[in-house]
Amino acid sequence: MDYEQAYALNRALRTIGMRHRLLAATELNRLGLSIGQESLIMELAKQGPRTQAQLATAAGCEPPTITSAVQKLEALGLVSRHPSTEDRRATVVELTTEGEALLEGLSAAWIHLAESTVAGLSRTRVEDLIEALADLAASLETASRDLDPRRLT
Amino acid sequence: MDYEQAYALNRALRTIGMRHRLLAATELNRLGLSIGQESLIMELAKQGPRTQAQLATAAGCEPPTITSAVQKLEALGLVSRHPSTEDRRATVVELTTEGEALLEGLSAAWIHLAESTVAGLSRTRVEDLIEALADLAASLETASRDLDPRRLT
DNA sequence: TTGATATAGTTAGATGCCTAACTATATCAA
DNA sequence: TTGATATAGTTAGGCATCTAACTATATCAA
C-alpha cells in the first residue's frame, strides 16, 4: 500500500472512532449512562447473567475495565453482583428490574445514534457500509489478537 | 433503521475504533510516540509551522488536547514553540530537525498500520473500503458539528 | 474611544480505556 | 497429593480525550 492510501485510511478511522464515540456519549448521557456501559447492559439483556470474564470477552475490553464499569452500574442500581456457585473466583452480574427498565430507551438511543451516523452519507449505501464495517472489524480483531500473545485462543 | 442494523453498525464502529487505536498505539510506541502526536507531526510536516488553533482544527480535537500534546512533543525535542508575531495570543509550533528525522519512520509505521488493518478483509476491496470510510468520516463530522452549537462555522 | 464579544491558549478535573502487578481459586500432571 | 500453571477479579497508575472556567489579546460597533 502506498502512503497516500495508508494516510487516508488511518485518518478516516481516527476521525470515525472519535466522532462516533462522541455521538454515542451524547446519546448515553441522556439516559444517565456513559460509554462502555451500554455494551454490558445489552450483553446482559441478550444472554442473561454473565461473569465478568464473559462480559470482558463480549465487550472486547480488558478485565479492569469491566471491574470499573460494573461497579458504576451497580452503584446506579442497574445491575447486581453475586459470587458464582460453580467457581468461587467468579462474580456473576445480572440486570436488575431498574436495569431492564432502561432497555427500551437504550434501543431507541442506539437506533438514533446509527441514523445520525449515516445521515450524511453521500455515495455509500447503508447495507454496503455495514457489510464492509463488519468485515473490517473482524480484520482488526485478528490483527489485534496477533499482536498480543496472551490472547492466542 | 431497525434495531438489528443499528446494533451491528454501532458495534462494528466501537470495535473498529478500539482496535485501530490499539494497533496505532503499538506502532507509535516503537517510535517513542503516543497516539494523537502523530497527527500533529504529520500536519506540521505537510503544512509547515502552524498555530495551536490550526492544529486543533486539523486534528479534529479540542484546544486542551493540543496544549498537552504539544507540551509533550516539545519535551521530546520534536517541536519548538514561539509566540506569533502577528497575533500575540497565538503560539506557533514547528518541527525541529529531530522531529523531521522521525518522518521517514512514521510513514513506514503508518503504512504498516494500514496494511495490518486491512490484512484480514475477506470480502471488501481496499479501495472501496477507503472510499466508504471517507464518506462515513464526513458524515460523522457533520453529525458532530450539528451537535455542538459552538462549532457552527 | 470605549465597551461588548470573540478568539488563543491554559489549567483543573472527569471519563473510559490500557498495562503491570497482585490475591484467590482452579486445574492438571508428576 | 502436591506443585506448577492458568484463570477470575482487583488495585494502582498512565494515557488521550473531553468540558468548564479562566486569562490575555483582538475585533468591531456604538
Side-chain angles (χ1 to χ4, degrees):
Chain A
M1 188 177 311
D2 65 29
Y3 178 71
E4 289 307 318
Q5 267 194 316
Y7 179 83
L9 178 65
N10 291 327
R11 185 187 170 87
L13 287 175
R14 175 177 159 88
T15 300
I16 289 164
M18 286 175 61
R19 294 301 184 238
H20 184 259
R21 185 183 169 90
L22 179 65
L23 291 179
T26 304
E27 291 291 338
L28 292 170
N29 284 347
R30 294 203 190 106
L31 298 170
L33 296 176
S34 50
I35 242 181
Q37 295 177 340
E38 87 289 350
S39 67
L40 305 188
I41 293 177
M42 288 169 175
E43 180 69 11
L44 293 171
K46 190 155 60 172
Q47 308 279 0
R50 301 270 95 179
T51 66
Q52 297 192 184
Q54 289 172 322
L55 291 175
T57 301
C61 58
E62 299 300 320
T65 303
I66 300 297
T67 295
S68 158
V70 167
Q71 282 171 353
K72 283 170 188 170
L73 288 174
E74 191 179 30
L76 291 171
L78 302 176
V79 306
S80 62
R81 289 167 13 126
H82 33 266
S84 165
T85 53
E86 295 156 7
D87 185 337
R88 286 192 298 168
R89 298 168 300 179
T91 301
V92 176
V93 183
E94 76 184 305
L95 281 182
T96 61
T97 309
E98 282 168 305
E100 283 169 354
L102 251 170
L103 293 175
E104 201 174 341
L106 192 49
S107 302
W110 234 225
I111 291 174
H112 186 229
L113 169 60
E115 288 175 343
S116 313
T117 297
V118 301
L121 289 179
S122 61
R123 51 191 191 275
T124 312
R125 287 187 21 209
V126 171
E127 306 88 62
D128 294 344
L129 180 69
I130 291 177
E131 175 80 5
L133 292 178
D135 199 4
L136 177 59
S139 177
L140 280 163
E141 286 286 8
T142 303
S144 312
R145 208 178 308 116
D146 293 349
L147 203 65
D148 186 344
R150 288 175 313 176
R151 293 191 196 160
L152 291 173
T153 309
Chain B
M1 186 176 313
D2 66 29
Y3 178 71
E4 289 307 318
Q5 267 195 315
Y7 179 84
L9 177 65
N10 291 326
R11 185 186 170 87
L13 286 175
R14 174 177 158 89
T15 300
I16 290 164
M18 285 175 60
R19 294 301 185 239
H20 184 260
R21 186 183 171 89
L22 180 65
L23 291 179
T26 304
E27 291 292 338
L28 292 171
N29 284 347
R30 294 203 190 106
L31 298 170
L33 296 176
S34 49
I35 243 182
Q37 296 177 341
E38 87 289 350
S39 67
L40 305 189
I41 293 177
M42 288 168 174
E43 180 69 10
L44 294 171
K46 191 155 59 172
Q47 307 280 0
R50 302 270 95 179
T51 66
Q52 296 191 186
Q54 289 172 323
L55 291 175
T57 301
C61 58
E62 299 300 320
T65 303
I66 300 296
T67 295
S68 158
V70 167
Q71 283 171 353
K72 283 171 187 170
L73 288 174
E74 190 178 29
L76 290 170
L78 302 176
V79 306
S80 62
R81 290 169 10 128
H82 34 266
S84 165
T85 53
E86 296 155 6
D87 185 336
R88 285 192 300 168
R89 298 168 299 179
T91 302
V92 175
V93 183
E94 77 184 305
L95 281 181
T96 61
T97 308
E98 282 168 303
E100 283 169 354
L102 251 172
L103 292 176
E104 200 174 341
L106 192 49
S107 301
W110 234 225
I111 291 175
H112 186 229
L113 169 60
E115 287 175 343
S116 312
T117 297
V118 301
L121 288 180
S122 61
R123 52 191 190 277
T124 312
R125 288 186 22 211
V126 172
E127 305 88 60
D128 294 344
L129 180 69
I130 292 177
E131 175 81 4
L133 292 178
D135 199 4
L136 178 59
S139 177
L140 280 164
E141 287 286 9
T142 303
S144 311
R145 208 176 308 117
D146 292 349
L147 203 64
D148 187 345
R150 288 174 314 175
R151 293 191 195 163
L152 292 173
T153 309

